[in-house]
Amino acid sequence: MRRSIITGIGGQDGAYLSRLLLERGHEVLGVIRPGQSGTLPGLVQVGVSNEVRLVQCDLCSYEAVAELIATFRPDEVYNLAAQSSVSRSFLLPGETISFNTLSVLTLVRVIHECAPHVRMYQASSSDMFGKVPQLPIKEDMAFHPLSPYAVSKASAHWIAKNYRESFKLFIACGILFNHESPLRTRNFFVKKLICEALEVKQGKRETIRIGNLALKRDFGYAPRYVEAMYGMLQHDSPGDYLICSGRSVLLTDIANHICDSIGISRDRLVTDPALFRPLDIPDIYGCNQRARQILNWEYSLDFMDVLDILIEAEQQHIH
Ligand code: NDP
């Protein structure tokens, strides 16, 4: 039986990846913060809370991570833990950059020095590219990060690559574009909009404050994106892969679809300039050809269909 560690197990991707690894016969150990306890709602929601063992670990402590690796003796480590909100990263730039980079450096150092056979997945982000000269984004394009979160992920990505190249470690970086699911928290755009539209419908609020909707983004479905993470660590050699739908969707179209599906007037959407980001680019989408060809990863979901899944899940949650 293969043994896998997932950091950030309490997040959206941690839950879906746990379920996938268990289905593939892995034993799964989930890492939670020191002092954190109790059941994780995401694991409960995907039906695996009894099958995943949880352990507290300070991911920035070399000694703690070395002990974790020595005790569990994993074949694979999926490093998903991060302060993952762009807007929060502007409020907490130091915390975001510090944790998102130091935790990765600690993990690759431990793997290099104590367990070089371990295969590692690093959760990189399309936000690293930021301002790009042309579309679609491809793996070899230069980074121009536009937020503290993006800077932290770019730095972590280069730490992971540097250890892979310097010490011939098996470290794969999945550069994922936005991916959504019912497990998203409400501080992310799509989930916030769905929840607040339902609150308008129920008479619990009058309006929905929104930022700049004249932007296009490449959105996907989390349960399908974690399959690519798994595929990266089963391949013969490590690499970097863009995981995306390959198409961008206008945020206005997403907002309108949500209002229409839930049955509220589009007039309830009220633009609030305070929600605009300091720097934003109008359109982003990626090319997933490398993942399709090398990992045999397939993705063809239309994001409006994904939205219907998310709206339905939220409606069931309420009733
Ligand atoms: P979530 O925000 O849902 O989960 C992040 C996890 O990291 C949580 O379990 C959180 O723990 C943990 N974490 C955060 N800060 C710390 C800390 N200081 N110490 C220990 N644990 C911490 O993210 P997703 O599941 O959506 O994403 C997984 C990874 O993929 C992240 O690294 C994210 O940046 C990256 N990514 C995600 C994309 C997306 O669209 N979802 C796109 C591109 C990359 P807690 O629950 O206790 O807060």
Side-chain angles (χ1 to χ4, degrees), residues 73-293:
R73 290 178 285 106
D75 302 290
E76 300 173 359
V77 175
Y78 293 85
N79 186 37
L80 308 184
Q83 193 302 95
S84 70
S85 156
V86 172
S87 49
R88 209 167 141 78
S89 79
F90 282 103
L91 301 172
L92 299 170
E95 197 177 310
T96 302
I97 291 176
S98 158
F99 178 76
N100 290 3
T101 56
L102 189 56
S103 56
V104 179
L105 179 63
T106 307
L107 197 50
V108 295
R109 282 184 59 214
V110 169
I111 289 176
H112 168 226
E113 286 159 26
C114 309
H117 63 280
V118 168
R119 294 183 170 207
M120 173 177 157
Y121 170 85
Q122 170 56 21
S124 294
S125 164
S126 60
D127 276 43
M128 302 185 304
F129 292 105
K131 205 160 116 187
V132 283
Q134 69 207 50
L135 292 171
I137 292 173
K138 295 196 173 153
E139 281 87 354
D140 57 4
M141 276 186 184
F143 298 157
H144 187 141
L146 298 177
S147 68
Y149 168 74
V151 169
S152 75
K153 282 289 179 181
S155 173
H157 181 82
W158 278 109
I159 290 168
K161 277 184 77 134
N162 176 249
Y163 268 67
R164 175 172 81 210
E165 291 168 0
S166 303
F167 305 114
K168 309 280 176 269
L169 300 175
F170 194 115
I171 302 176
C173 298
I175 308 172
L176 272 61
F177 283 62
N178 292 309
H179 46 284
E180 306 295 319
S181 80
L183 298 184
R184 265 292 210 201
T185 49
R186 275 186 71 152
N187 53 330
F188 288 91
F189 170 73
V190 173
K191 178 77 166 218
K192 168 185 140 74
L193 226 57
I194 293 173
C195 292
E196 294 190 1
L198 286 168
E199 286 168 4
V200 169
K201 179 83 177 170
Q202 295 168 308
K204 290 184 182 164
R205 67 162 60 232
E206 285 297 313
T207 57
I208 303 170
R209 288 166 58 237
I210 36 123
N212 183 6
L213 291 191
L215 305 172
K216 295 179 82 180
R217 292 290 179 265
D218 185 330
F219 283 98
Y221 189 43
R224 294 293 328 282
Y225 279 25
V226 300
E227 293 169 9
M229 298 178 186
Y230 176 73
M232 283 176 222
L233 294 203
Q234 313 316 308
H235 193 65
D236 302 339
S237 53
D240 301 333
Y241 298 91
L242 287 184
I243 304 301
C244 54
S245 76
R247 293 182 297 273
S248 56
V249 188
L250 187 64
L251 301 192
T252 306
D253 292 341
I254 292 178
N256 289 342
H257 186 91
I258 291 171
C259 289
D260 297 351
S261 302
I262 290 175
I264 63 164
S265 164
R266 296 177 181 183
D267 295 343
R268 299 296 188 108
L269 300 168
V270 178
T271 304
D272 180 352
L275 295 177
F276 282 44
R277 287 192 183 147
L279 284 166
D280 244 334
I281 37 175
D283 192 6
I284 298 173
Y285 60 94
C287 168
N288 57 22
Q289 198 182 359
R290 188 158 195 271
R292 297 171 97 96
Q293 283 178 350

Side-chain angles (χ1 to χ4, degrees), residues 12-23:
Q12 165 186 265
D13 293 359
Y16 292 113
L17 182 62
S18 301
R19 185 175 67 185
L20 179 80
L21 292 174
L22 289 162
E23 283 167 4

